[in-house]
Amino acid sequence: MTPLIEMSLGLRVSRRLVSPFSTEFSRRIPIRNARTISSRAAFEPPRVDTTSIDISQFPSVPRQEEPEEPEFWRRLPSSSPFKDVTRDDFLSWRWNTKNIVETKEKLYEFIDAVVPEEIPRARGTPGMQTRAEFESDVAGGIRLSTMSVRLMPYILSRINWTDPANCPIFRQFVPLKSVMIKDHPQLGLDSLHEKRDSPVEGIVHRYPDKALFLPVGVCPVYCGFCTRSYGVGPDTHLVSKEPFKPSRTRLEKAFAYIESQENLRDIVVSGGDAFYLPHHVLEEIGDRLINMKNIKRFRFATKGLAVAPSRFLDKSDPWPDALIRVADKATKAGKHFALHTHFNHPNEISWITEKATRRLVQANVMVRNQSVLLRGVNDDVSTMSALIEKLAEMMIYPYYVYQCDSELNAELLPYSPAKLQSLAGMEVVTRVEHFRTPLQTILDMESQLRGSIAGFMMPNFVVDLPGGGGKRLACSFESYDRNTGVSTFRAPILTNRGKEGKIYKYYDPLKPSS
């Protein structure tokens, strides 16, 4: 006979436990005389005498095993400079900074060490190419790029060096001349017109209650599609930069402006990249913003979590601790704080990323992600879906997916006469046109992804309008002519600097026949 559990109401039920609030439970209790049960007893769940339950009959919960932590950086060819790097060194921020690849010579040396003798050409060009041909393609791309090459060891170790021309990580950071295409005539180095919305050096104030603070012009890596190529990184063969330098004068002017604007509520600290603010400057900026009565929300923007996540695990480095202290002080002061990062492809994520993110989440640091939609990188639904899912698993909130902006405009590009002369006879090409997708791509992607994950984990798909129109939902266009590739948008909230009632135009990339 099946053992029975005696219940406090004197009722006998089979040993299988059933929730006292389930329909099944209510059907199984034979209340023969409801009037004899007090009203209190009728609404109290029965108390179970667990001393008579044989817990050995219940399945045990399997012990969770630690995730695998492969030393993926050692899987590169035997000639790779990372082949014998220990785990402790690879996770060390100091070791990482000593092994950045940021000159052409170092990049070519690395390519010689890890790229096979023969590799596939970039998608769309049939056949194979030699390593020498590939290096020549890279050299041509660097010569025509508005951004310098700068690569952290982590990113170098995530690239597929057996097919780099088609690797979604390589494509973001190393230019190839063979994939560049002609300019769109409407594009500019400062395509978002940030300089026109800058009341003081280092501040971009476009929205009534939000401003962008740019205290530094250095990043851990340089993206080929950077919208601040006018001021981020060192000069290139084509462009003389206007760098953002974190001087005391620059900081104080920025602080004074922010505090003087009663309507300002929200500050984004970017650059460059907040990852390269000295830890004491990072904390000072956080403290100053926390103590300003008008500022209610602020965030630091860094790609560091995506391209150098080991820094967050290096206990000898003071920067992550400073960030966590700022987050804690902001919370105690009733201010909203977040870290905004930038993942574009799920292959950028490893166990190091997961552990780094876990440290931030456990320290109550909110992390949000902003991606850029890039042709040949993440412009298909399956890739973007995988990225969103992976971010959600790590408790990183997918915040925005941006339509890729473009850069070139002869009026704004600071060519020197000598540089123009050196380009005589050479076909001038765009810096990011090969990354851009039609507006229809982002519209279709949102349509197909919407509903695939909880709403609070679904990013907003946006266009950061050329001409200083700010962010607008891609689907909020006023008109879109698929034949000409021209879409129009309005930004009703923007009324200053002659923007009231303005119509903003976005241009699809030119068709191959154009």
Side-chain angles (χ1 to χ4, degrees), residues 77 122 147 149-150 166 173 202 208-209 213 286 291 308 391 423 437 505:
M147 296 301 295
V149 171
R150 193 171 203 260
N166 298 299
F173 306 113
D209 74 332
F213 183 13
N291 290 324
L391 293 170
L423 291 171
T437 60
K505 291 184 178 181

Side-chain angles (χ1 to χ4, degrees), residues 147 150 152 216-223 226 232-233 271-273 275-276:
M147 296 301 295
R150 193 171 203 260
M152 299 296 295
V216 63
V218 183
C219 301
V221 295
Y222 293 132
C223 304
C226 181
V232 171
D273 196 303
F275 216 49
Y276 271 80

Side-chain angles (χ1 to χ4, degrees), residues 453-465:
I453 194 169
F456 60 87
M457 283 297 183
M458 177 58 61
N460 288 310
F461 293 80
V462 299
V463 179
D464 209 344
L465 295 174

Side-chain angles (χ1 to χ4, degrees), residues 25 55 133 212 217 333 343 355 368 391 415 452 466 481 487 489:
F25 183 89
I55 62 172
E133 289 176 311
L212 180 64
F343 290 90
K355 291 187 77 168
R368 301 191 189 105
L391 293 170
Y415 284 126
S452 66
D481 187 326
S487 51
F489 294 81

Side-chain angles (χ1 to χ4, degrees), residues 103-130:
T103 65
K104 291 182 292 185
E105 293 72 25
K106 280 190 175 182
L107 178 60
Y108 301 151
E109 184 180 331
F110 194 91
I111 288 173
D112 282 337
V114 299
V115 173
E117 285 290 344
E118 196 174 56
I119 57 174
R121 297 182 185 276
R123 193 169 292 111
T125 306
M128 303 290 282
Q129 62 182 325
T130 65

Side-chain angles (χ1 to χ4, degrees), residues 237-251:
H237 187 72
L238 293 183
V239 183
S240 299
K241 303 295 179 86
E242 303 171 18
F244 314 139
K245 296 180 180 178
S247 66
R248 174 52 53 185
T249 301
R250 183 187 182 95
L251 289 176

Side-chain angles (χ1 to χ4, degrees), residues 63-370:
R63 182 171 151 311
Q64 283 193 334
E65 304 226 351
E66 286 295 314
E68 276 191 43
E69 298 180 354
E71 296 181 342
F72 52 82
W73 58 92
R74 303 181 71 174
R75 294 177 180 173
L76 297 176
S78 57
S79 53
S80 161
F82 300 159
K83 186 64 179 177
D84 298 318
V85 174
T86 66
R87 175 191 171 102
D88 287 345
D89 278 344
F90 194 77
L91 297 182
S92 161
W93 175 242
R94 179 170 292 184
W95 181 89
N96 273 264
T97 57
K98 288 181 178 178
N99 288 276
I100 296 173
V101 170
E102 56 183 338
T103 65
K104 291 182 292 185
E105 293 72 25
K106 280 190 175 182
L107 178 60
Y108 301 151
E109 184 180 331
F110 194 91
I111 288 173
D112 282 337
V114 299
V115 173
E117 285 290 344
E118 196 174 56
I119 57 174
R121 297 182 185 276
R123 193 169 292 111
T125 306
M128 303 290 282
Q129 62 182 325
T130 65
R131 184 197 302 142
E133 289 176 311
F134 176 68
E135 285 187 11
S136 177
D137 198 7
V138 170
I142 290 174
R143 184 176 174 82
L144 293 171
S145 178
T146 59
M147 296 301 295
S148 296
V149 171
R150 193 171 203 260
L151 297 164
M152 299 296 295
Y154 177 83
I155 281 298
L156 288 166
S157 69
R158 302 300 293 174
I159 290 172
N160 175 11
W161 290 104
T162 63
D163 188 11
N166 298 299
C167 173
I169 298 178
F170 179 92
R171 288 174 66 92
Q172 296 179 59
F173 306 113
V174 184
L176 293 175
K177 181 182 177 182
S178 64
V179 304
M180 292 179 172
I181 56 180
K182 288 183 179 181
D183 289 340
H184 195 292
Q186 297 293 331
L187 312 177
L189 273 174
D190 179 19
S191 62
L192 306 182
H193 287 196
E194 289 184 340
K195 289 187 287 185
R196 298 182 189 181
D197 289 325
S198 180
V200 298
E201 190 179 16
I203 294 291
V204 178
H205 190 181
R206 175 174 298 152
Y207 301 98
D209 74 332
K210 183 176 73 176
L212 180 64
F213 183 13
L214 306 172
V216 63
V218 183
C219 301
V221 295
Y222 293 132
C223 304
F225 47 89
C226 181
T227 57
R228 296 194 188 113
S229 56
Y230 64 90
V232 171
D235 292 351
T236 67
H237 187 72
L238 293 183
V239 183
S240 299
K241 303 295 179 86
E242 303 171 18
F244 314 139
K245 296 180 180 178
S247 66
R248 174 52 53 185
T249 301
R250 183 187 182 95
L251 289 176
E252 292 301 334
K253 285 182 178 179
F255 289 142
Y257 178 82
I258 293 170
E259 200 161 18
S260 71
Q261 302 298 303
E262 293 183 3
N263 292 332
L264 263 184
R265 297 287 183 271
D266 194 337
I267 301 295
V268 181
V269 183
S270 185
D273 196 303
F275 216 49
Y276 271 80
L277 284 170
H279 68 93
H280 61 280
V281 175
L282 178 94
E283 191 159 11
E284 179 189 355
I285 291 174
D287 289 344
R288 294 284 290 267
L289 294 176
I290 289 169
N291 290 324
M292 292 182 189
K293 292 181 179 180
N294 57 321
I295 300 305
K296 307 301 180 185
R297 300 171 297 278
F298 68 100
R299 37 250 163 86
F300 286 114
T302 175
K303 198 170 172 65
L305 190 60
V307 300
S310 59
R311 187 178 194 184
F312 293 91
L313 303 176
D314 188 345
K315 294 183 179 179
S316 67
D317 184 77
W319 195 93
D321 290 331
L323 178 77
I324 289 170
R325 282 196 300 272
V326 168
D328 184 58
K329 286 185 278 190
T331 300
K332 290 176 179 176
K335 304 291 179 81
H336 182 98
F337 173 82
L339 181 75
H340 282 196
T341 192
H342 179 184
F343 290 90
N344 283 329
H345 196 278
N347 289 359
E348 297 165 14
I349 298 168
S350 73
W351 63 266
I352 301 176
T353 322
E354 292 170 356
K355 291 187 77 168
T357 304
R358 195 176 306 130
R359 182 188 178 192
L360 294 172
V361 171
Q362 289 175 350
N364 296 316
V365 178
M366 175 177 281
V367 186
R368 301 191 189 105
N369 186 69
Q370 301 181 147

